Amino acid sequence: MSNKTENRKPLPTIGVSNYTFFKLLTDTEDGATYDTPYHLRGTVEISPTDSGGSDVFDADNGAYVASSYIEKLGHDITNADIPPEVDAEWRGLERKDGIVEVSNDTKTVYFGVAWRILKSDGTYRYVRYYKGSYSFASNVGGKTKPSSGSIEKQTAKATYTAVQRDFDNNYYAYFDETDLPDGVTKETLEEKWFTDLNYYPTTTPAPTKASTKTE
């Protein structure tokens, strides 16, 4: 593979997997650090929430300055289920003997997140958001089990709202497997992308002092 710039035909995406989140521990001018990664199984769909537009400032009897903007950065995740321990962590709650008690005393807890998208040619696009928080509806819905026929499927949903990381003002990044430079293997990319949010798939030193806590 090569990191040379080239024009490639856009390919449809056909799958998503490896949704992994990291609790943000510190975010300062010296770097960002994250806790041990947690792989959330059962991802059904991830939909970007990004939207944007443009503004025009009129002066001198005409358009003077035009600017574009992006807002509501983040994504909606649909999952087979959100386990109680994940529900509590995303809400900033402590479980008591396994019980998740929800009140208005929730905290804003920041997380980084990473996943991969399968493209129609069999290669992957790797995505990561550096800092954001989760919000979602109650995790206690259900349906009556059908007496016959196929099993009714249920899902849980959450929204991840991204903010700029204080360290470098970045929101998110993505990388295509087809752009791997010489000297970097897919195996290394797979390992590092989901264990270190500050990893760069390059043979040169990464342009950051930030780190990720691993165990």
Side-chain angles (χ1 to χ4, degrees), residues 28 57 65 88 91 96 114 181 208:
T28 69
F57 174 69
V65 174
R91 295 178 190 267
K96 302 174 183 177
T208 175

Side-chain angles (χ1 to χ4, degrees), residues 171-188:
Y171 286 103
Y172 70 93
Y174 67 90
F175 179 81
D176 282 350
E177 174 190 337
T178 50
D179 290 326
L180 271 176
D182 295 337
V184 180
T185 65
K186 180 180 178 181
E187 290 73 21
T188 298

Side-chain angles (χ1 to χ4, degrees), residues 24-83:
L24 180 65
L25 298 178
T26 62
D27 180 18
T28 69
E29 62 180 12
D30 294 323
T33 61
Y34 299 87
D35 207 344
T36 306
Y38 184 109
H39 173 51
L40 181 64
R41 299 181 59 189
T43 303
V44 176
E45 183 180 6
I46 295 177
S47 302
T49 57
D50 304 9
S51 63
S54 60
D55 285 326
V56 176
F57 174 69
D58 293 322
D60 293 336
N61 200 34
Y64 189 72
V65 174
S67 60
S68 60
Y69 60 89
I70 302 175
E71 60 183 5
K72 299 180 180 178
L73 272 77
H75 58 271
D76 291 330
I77 175 173
T78 302
N79 221 63
D81 183 33
I82 297 177

Side-chain angles (χ1 to χ4, degrees), residues 12 15-16 18 22 28 58 84 87 117 131 145 148 170-171 214:
V16 61
N18 287 38
F22 310 66
T28 69
D58 293 322
D87 188 340
I117 303 168
K131 183 177 181 180
K145 182 179 178 181
S148 63
N170 287 328
Y171 286 103
T214 58

Side-chain angles (χ1 to χ4, degrees), residues 122-145:
T123 62
Y124 285 101
R125 171 168 292 168
Y126 296 84
V127 183
R128 66 186 181 198
Y129 281 74
Y130 294 110
K131 183 177 181 180
S133 61
Y134 288 93
S135 61
F136 41 92
S138 173
N139 196 24
V140 296
K143 293 181 180 179
T144 299
K145 182 179 178 181

